[in-house]
Amino acid sequence: MTGQEREYTSTGVPAWKSPVALSVALHLLIAGVALAGWSWSNPIQEPPPNSISARLITQQKPEPSPVLEPVDQPDKEQERKELQKQKQAELQKRQKEEEVRKAAEQKKLEEVKRKEQERKQEQAKAEELKAKKAQEAARQKAEAEAKERERRKAEAEAEKKRQQEAKRKAEAEKQRKEEQRKREEAERKKQEELARKEAERKRLEAERRLQEQQLEAQAEQASKARADEARRQEQAAAAKARESQMLTDSQKYQALIREKLSNAWYMPSSATNEMTARLQITLLPTGELASVKLLAGSGNKAFDNSALNAVRSLTRYPVPSERDTFEAYFRQFTIEFNPREMR
């Protein structure tokens, strides 16, 4: 409208390509065509026909002929232009209103899109938070289940250790009782053997005395001719007595050595009554161990090693002070380790 400033929105296209410019050009074209058509439709004024002037002469004063002046017709062109201007103004107004409406719709659409995007973002955040919560709950559940499994495993291991410890103690107690029984049995057999040996020694001693008495009686009754024979027999009897004494002494010290070895011997759990290890022992006159040698093994390495360890564990062996008896029986001798015989 005249006297008012119009607001133009830049659309990024040349001004002559804008909708307003195109609309104005279109209306101008339509107006031009209409004007041209209207001019063509008006008939061309033909020149007035020639007329014959006649004057009537009367006594009355003739009235002057009316002067025909051309009647001024309304300036249709001006009206058309004004109408065109009004139409153009209305068109521009409608275009502006349309632009405002479209801008409002565009803004509303953008607002709806923005809100929809915000709603989707909020929904995505909510879903993400829900997923995180579900993941955290699953993680906590997994941790709780893992802790429960660890607790049950620890309890099972503790129970297993307790049972193993109880079993070990029971086996140790059983082994202790078995060893005690073996020691008692060995002590009983040792006492029986000592008693048997003592009885044998007394019997031999009685026989020896009887033999000596007989020899003495025979010597007294023998004639001078048999004096040499008597002396020979006496010497033989003395040698036999000495040998008998040496044998008795050797048996006594052998029993002592066997007793000490039996006490020092710790048989392995795998030992059986059928196992036998035969060892050769060499001693010094002081009773110290010079060497030990395995002559025949039992077939069980642990059994053989236990026998060797028992021999090496004694720092000093009981030996007779008589050198002849020591050299004859204890300088080097063999001994067999057998569970039945060493008890």
Side-chain angles (χ1 to χ4, degrees):
M1 298 172 68
T2 307
Q4 295 182 354
E5 293 181 359
R6 297 179 178 178
E7 296 179 358
Y8 293 93
T9 304
S10 176
T11 60
V13 298
W16 62 273
K17 287 185 178 182
S18 65
V20 177
L22 294 176
S23 177
V24 171
L26 181 60
H27 281 78
L28 290 176
L29 180 61
I30 293 172
V33 173
L35 183 61
W38 177 76
S39 298
W40 292 339
S41 63
N42 288 335
I44 301 175
Q45 294 181 0
E46 297 179 357
N50 296 326
S51 61
I52 300 174
S53 299
R55 180 180 295 177
L56 179 61
I57 299 173
T58 63
Q59 292 180 354
Q60 295 179 349
K61 185 178 180 179
E63 295 180 357
S65 299
V67 179
L68 297 175
E69 295 180 356
V71 180
D72 294 336
Q73 295 182 356
D75 193 351
K76 294 183 178 181
E77 183 66 20
Q78 186 66 25
E79 291 180 357
R80 187 185 61 76
K81 289 181 179 181
E82 291 294 332
L83 182 61
Q84 185 67 26
K85 286 182 179 180
Q86 291 179 2
K87 289 181 178 180
Q88 186 176 357
E90 289 178 358
L91 180 60
Q92 290 178 353
K93 181 179 179 182
R94 285 195 299 271
Q95 289 176 349
K96 186 175 181 180
E97 291 176 351
E98 182 67 18
E99 291 175 356
V100 172
R101 184 185 65 79
K102 288 181 178 181
E105 289 181 354
Q106 183 67 23
K107 185 176 181 181
K108 185 177 180 182
L109 182 61
E110 290 177 355
E111 182 68 17
V112 170
K113 288 181 178 180
R114 184 183 63 80
K115 289 183 178 180
E116 181 64 19
Q117 186 175 3
E118 290 179 354
R119 185 188 66 79
K120 289 182 178 180
Q121 290 177 353
E122 291 295 330
Q123 185 177 0
K125 288 181 179 179
E127 291 178 354
E128 183 179 1
L129 181 60
K130 184 178 179 181
K132 286 182 178 180
K133 288 183 178 180
Q135 186 178 3
E136 180 64 20
R139 185 186 64 79
Q140 292 178 356
K141 182 179 179 181
E143 289 180 354
E145 291 177 352
K147 288 180 180 179
E148 180 64 18
R149 287 195 299 270
E150 289 294 330
R151 184 185 65 79
R152 292 180 179 176
K153 183 179 179 181
E155 290 180 353
E157 290 179 353
E159 179 64 19
K160 183 178 179 181
K161 288 182 178 180
R162 186 188 65 78
Q163 293 178 358
Q164 290 177 349
E165 184 65 18
K167 183 179 179 181
R168 185 189 65 79
K169 289 182 178 180
E171 290 178 353
E173 181 65 18
K174 181 180 179 181
Q175 184 177 1
R176 186 189 65 80
K177 291 181 178 179
E178 181 65 18
E179 291 176 354
Q180 182 178 0
R181 185 190 65 78
K182 289 179 180 180
R183 286 194 298 270
E184 292 175 353
E185 182 69 14
E187 182 65 22
R188 183 184 63 78
K189 288 185 177 182
K190 183 183 70 172
Q191 295 297 331
E192 290 178 354
E193 182 67 16
L194 289 176
R196 185 187 65 78
K197 289 181 179 180
E198 183 65 19
E200 182 67 16
R201 186 188 67 79
K202 289 180 178 181
R203 185 183 65 79
L204 293 174
E205 182 67 19
E207 290 179 355
R208 185 183 65 80
R209 289 177 181 178
L210 179 60
Q211 188 177 10
E212 289 178 352
Q213 291 174 1
Q214 290 175 354
L215 290 174
E216 290 176 358
Q218 290 176 5
E220 292 176 355
Q221 295 176 2
S223 61
K224 190 176 180 180
R226 301 180 61 183
D228 293 337
E229 181 66 18
R231 283 194 300 269
R232 186 186 64 78
Q233 291 179 358
E234 184 178 359
Q235 290 175 357
K240 187 175 181 180
R242 181 176 179 81
E243 183 179 355
S244 177
Q245 184 64 38
M246 290 174 61
L247 179 60
T248 302
D249 292 340
S250 69
Q251 290 175 347
K252 180 178 71 176
Y253 284 99
Q254 284 176 1
L256 292 174
I257 290 173
R258 183 173 292 275
E259 178 184 358
K260 285 183 174 293
L261 289 176
S262 177
N263 293 334
W265 186 28
Y266 293 95
M267 287 183 295
S269 59
S270 58
T272 63
N273 291 334
E274 289 73 24
M275 292 182 182
T276 300
R278 189 163 177 263
L279 279 67
Q280 183 184 70
I281 299 175
T282 304
L283 299 178
L284 298 176
T286 58
E288 296 176 343
L289 177 67
S291 65
V292 60
K293 181 179 179 182
L294 180 65
L295 297 179
S298 64
N300 186 302
K301 189 174 181 180
F303 185 92
D304 297 339
N305 289 336
S306 68
L308 291 169
N309 291 335
V311 173
R312 296 189 182 107
S313 65
L314 297 182
T315 57
R316 190 176 297 275
Y317 284 76
V319 294
S321 59
E322 181 66 28
R323 187 62 179 264
D324 294 339
T325 306
F326 172 80
E327 292 294 338
Y329 295 100
F330 298 98
R331 169 65 72 176
Q332 189 175 77
F333 62 96
T334 59
I335 187 168
E336 290 184 351
F337 282 77
N338 180 267
R340 287 192 299 266
E341 296 179 2
M342 296 294 288
R343 289 176 181 175

